[in-house]
Short mmCIF file of all heavy atoms in Angstrom, two decimals:
data_model
loop_
_atom_site.label_atom_id
_atom_site.label_comp_id
_atom_site.label_asym_id
_atom_site.label_seq_id
_atom_site.Cartn_x
_atom_site.Cartn_y
_atom_site.Cartn_z
N GLN A 50 93.34 23.91 46.84
CA GLN A 50 93.89 22.65 46.30
C GLN A 50 93.00 21.48 46.65
O GLN A 50 92.87 20.55 45.83
CB GLN A 50 95.30 22.47 46.85
CG GLN A 50 96.33 23.42 46.27
CD GLN A 50 97.66 23.43 47.03
OE1 GLN A 50 97.85 22.64 47.96
NE2 GLN A 50 98.53 24.34 46.65
N SER A 51 92.40 21.50 47.83
CA SER A 51 91.50 20.42 48.22
C SER A 51 90.25 20.37 47.34
O SER A 51 89.58 19.35 47.25
CB SER A 51 91.11 20.54 49.69
OG SER A 51 90.27 21.65 49.90
N LYS A 52 89.95 21.53 46.72
CA LYS A 52 88.82 21.63 45.82
C LYS A 52 89.24 21.47 44.37
O LYS A 52 88.48 21.74 43.44
CB LYS A 52 88.12 22.98 45.99
CG LYS A 52 87.53 23.21 47.36
CD LYS A 52 86.99 24.64 47.51
CE LYS A 52 86.45 24.89 48.90
NZ LYS A 52 85.98 26.31 49.08
N ASN A 53 90.53 21.03 44.18
CA ASN A 53 91.08 20.80 42.83
C ASN A 53 91.20 22.10 42.04
O ASN A 53 91.09 22.09 40.83
CB ASN A 53 90.24 19.76 42.05
CG ASN A 53 91.09 19.06 41.01
OD1 ASN A 53 92.29 18.88 41.21
ND2 ASN A 53 90.45 18.69 39.92
N ILE A 54 91.43 23.24 42.77
CA ILE A 54 91.70 24.51 42.10
C ILE A 54 93.21 24.67 42.07
O ILE A 54 93.88 24.69 43.13
CB ILE A 54 91.04 25.69 42.86
CG1 ILE A 54 89.54 25.49 42.94
CG2 ILE A 54 91.40 27.01 42.19
CD1 ILE A 54 88.82 26.50 43.78
N HIS A 55 93.76 24.81 40.89
CA HIS A 55 95.20 24.89 40.71
C HIS A 55 95.58 26.32 40.30
O HIS A 55 95.33 26.74 39.16
CB HIS A 55 95.70 23.89 39.70
CG HIS A 55 95.35 22.49 40.06
ND1 HIS A 55 95.97 21.79 41.09
CD2 HIS A 55 94.39 21.63 39.54
CE1 HIS A 55 95.46 20.60 41.19
NE2 HIS A 55 94.49 20.46 40.29
N ASP A 56 96.16 27.07 41.20
CA ASP A 56 96.52 28.45 40.92
C ASP A 56 97.93 28.53 40.33
O ASP A 56 98.80 27.69 40.58
CB ASP A 56 96.45 29.29 42.21
CG ASP A 56 95.05 29.33 42.78
OD1 ASP A 56 94.16 29.89 42.11
OD2 ASP A 56 94.81 28.78 43.87
N THR A 57 98.16 29.62 39.58
CA THR A 57 99.45 29.82 38.94
C THR A 57 100.48 30.34 39.97
O THR A 57 100.18 31.32 40.67
CB THR A 57 99.33 30.83 37.78
OG1 THR A 57 98.37 30.35 36.84
CG2 THR A 57 100.66 31.02 37.09
N MET A 58 101.66 29.73 40.02
CA MET A 58 102.67 30.15 40.96
C MET A 58 103.19 31.51 40.56
O MET A 58 103.37 32.41 41.42
CB MET A 58 103.81 29.14 41.01
CG MET A 58 104.94 29.53 41.96
SD MET A 58 104.40 29.64 43.69
CE MET A 58 104.03 27.95 44.05
N GLY A 59 103.48 31.73 39.31
CA GLY A 59 104.00 33.02 38.83
C GLY A 59 105.51 33.12 39.02
O GLY A 59 106.16 32.27 39.61
N ASN A 60 106.04 34.21 38.48
CA ASN A 60 107.49 34.44 38.53
C ASN A 60 107.96 34.81 39.92
O ASN A 60 107.25 35.45 40.69
CB ASN A 60 107.90 35.54 37.58
CG ASN A 60 107.64 35.16 36.13
OD1 ASN A 60 107.70 33.99 35.73
ND2 ASN A 60 107.29 36.15 35.29
N ASP A 61 109.20 34.39 40.24
CA ASP A 61 109.84 34.88 41.48
C ASP A 61 110.62 36.12 41.13
O ASP A 61 110.72 36.52 39.95
CB ASP A 61 110.77 33.79 42.04
CG ASP A 61 111.02 33.92 43.53
OD1 ASP A 61 110.69 35.01 44.07
OD2 ASP A 61 111.48 32.95 44.12
N ALA A 62 111.18 36.78 42.14
CA ALA A 62 111.95 38.00 41.90
C ALA A 62 113.22 37.72 41.15
O ALA A 62 113.92 36.73 41.42
CB ALA A 62 112.26 38.71 43.23
N THR A 63 113.55 38.58 40.16
CA THR A 63 114.80 38.43 39.43
C THR A 63 115.98 38.82 40.32
O THR A 63 115.95 39.90 40.89
CB THR A 63 114.78 39.32 38.17
OG1 THR A 63 113.66 39.01 37.36
CG2 THR A 63 116.07 39.16 37.38
N PRO A 64 116.97 37.97 40.47
CA PRO A 64 118.11 38.34 41.35
C PRO A 64 118.86 39.56 40.82
O PRO A 64 119.00 39.73 39.60
CB PRO A 64 119.00 37.07 41.30
CG PRO A 64 118.09 35.98 40.84
CD PRO A 64 117.11 36.61 39.94
N LEU A 65 119.28 40.40 41.72
CA LEU A 65 120.07 41.56 41.34
C LEU A 65 121.52 41.15 41.09
O LEU A 65 122.00 40.16 41.69
CB LEU A 65 120.07 42.61 42.45
CG LEU A 65 118.70 43.30 42.73
CD1 LEU A 65 118.83 44.20 43.97
CD2 LEU A 65 118.23 44.09 41.53
N PRO A 66 122.24 41.87 40.26
CA PRO A 66 123.69 41.57 40.07
C PRO A 66 124.40 41.64 41.40
O PRO A 66 124.06 42.41 42.30
CB PRO A 66 124.13 42.73 39.15
CG PRO A 66 122.88 43.14 38.41
CD PRO A 66 121.76 42.96 39.40
N ALA A 67 125.43 40.78 41.54
CA ALA A 67 126.14 40.66 42.82
C ALA A 67 126.78 41.96 43.28
O ALA A 67 126.94 42.20 44.49
CB ALA A 67 127.20 39.59 42.69
N ASN A 68 127.15 42.81 42.34
CA ASN A 68 127.83 44.04 42.70
C ASN A 68 126.88 45.26 42.84
O ASN A 68 127.31 46.39 42.82
CB ASN A 68 128.91 44.38 41.65
CG ASN A 68 128.32 44.59 40.26
OD1 ASN A 68 127.15 44.25 40.02
ND2 ASN A 68 129.11 45.13 39.34
N THR A 69 125.55 45.00 42.98
CA THR A 69 124.57 46.09 43.08
C THR A 69 124.81 46.89 44.36
O THR A 69 124.90 46.33 45.46
CB THR A 69 123.14 45.54 43.08
OG1 THR A 69 122.91 44.86 41.88
CG2 THR A 69 122.15 46.67 43.24
N ASP A 70 124.90 48.21 44.22
CA ASP A 70 124.95 49.13 45.36
C ASP A 70 123.53 49.41 45.75
O ASP A 70 122.85 50.27 45.18
CB ASP A 70 125.71 50.41 44.98
CG ASP A 70 125.88 51.35 46.17
OD1 ASP A 70 125.10 51.26 47.14
OD2 ASP A 70 126.79 52.23 46.10
N ILE A 71 122.99 48.68 46.72
CA ILE A 71 121.58 48.75 47.06
C ILE A 71 121.19 50.08 47.63
O ILE A 71 120.05 50.58 47.41
CB ILE A 71 121.18 47.58 48.03
CG1 ILE A 71 119.67 47.30 47.94
CG2 ILE A 71 121.64 47.85 49.42
CD1 ILE A 71 119.22 46.80 46.62
N LEU A 72 122.11 50.77 48.35
CA LEU A 72 121.81 52.08 48.88
C LEU A 72 121.68 53.09 47.72
O LEU A 72 120.75 53.89 47.71
CB LEU A 72 122.90 52.53 49.83
CG LEU A 72 122.75 53.95 50.37
CD1 LEU A 72 121.43 54.13 51.14
CD2 LEU A 72 123.94 54.32 51.31
N ALA A 73 122.58 53.04 46.75
CA ALA A 73 122.54 53.94 45.61
C ALA A 73 121.26 53.67 44.78
O ALA A 73 120.60 54.60 44.35
CB ALA A 73 123.77 53.80 44.76
N LEU A 74 120.95 52.39 44.61
CA LEU A 74 119.74 52.03 43.86
C LEU A 74 118.51 52.56 44.55
O LEU A 74 117.62 53.17 43.94
CB LEU A 74 119.66 50.51 43.69
CG LEU A 74 118.37 49.95 43.08
CD1 LEU A 74 118.18 50.47 41.66
CD2 LEU A 74 118.34 48.43 43.12
N GLY A 75 118.41 52.29 45.84
CA GLY A 75 117.25 52.72 46.60
C GLY A 75 117.09 54.24 46.65
O GLY A 75 115.99 54.78 46.60
N THR A 76 118.23 54.95 46.72
CA THR A 76 118.19 56.41 46.73
C THR A 76 117.63 56.94 45.42
O THR A 76 116.82 57.88 45.38
CB THR A 76 119.59 56.97 46.99
OG1 THR A 76 120.06 56.49 48.24
CG2 THR A 76 119.56 58.49 47.00
N ARG A 77 118.04 56.33 44.28
CA ARG A 77 117.54 56.72 42.99
C ARG A 77 116.04 56.47 42.88
O ARG A 77 115.27 57.32 42.40
CB ARG A 77 118.29 56.01 41.86
CG ARG A 77 119.71 56.45 41.65
CD ARG A 77 120.25 55.94 40.31
NE ARG A 77 120.24 54.48 40.20
CZ ARG A 77 121.25 53.71 40.61
NH1 ARG A 77 122.32 54.22 41.18
NH2 ARG A 77 121.16 52.38 40.45
#
């Protein structure tokens, strides 16, 4: 940034639905 190089931030992680069973998802 001090050299006036502007990098792209990019997308953040898409939030999972509130009712996601993370253990079941991870197991799959």
Side-chain angles (χ1 to χ4, degrees):
Q50 288 167 5
S51 70
K52 298 175 183 177
N53 206 30
I54 300 173
H55 302 288
D56 298 295
T57 302
M58 180 61 68
N60 296 328
D61 205 344
T63 303
L65 293 174
N68 61 347
T69 299
D70 184 337
I71 202 66
L72 176 59
L74 173 62
T76 301
R77 288 195 300 272

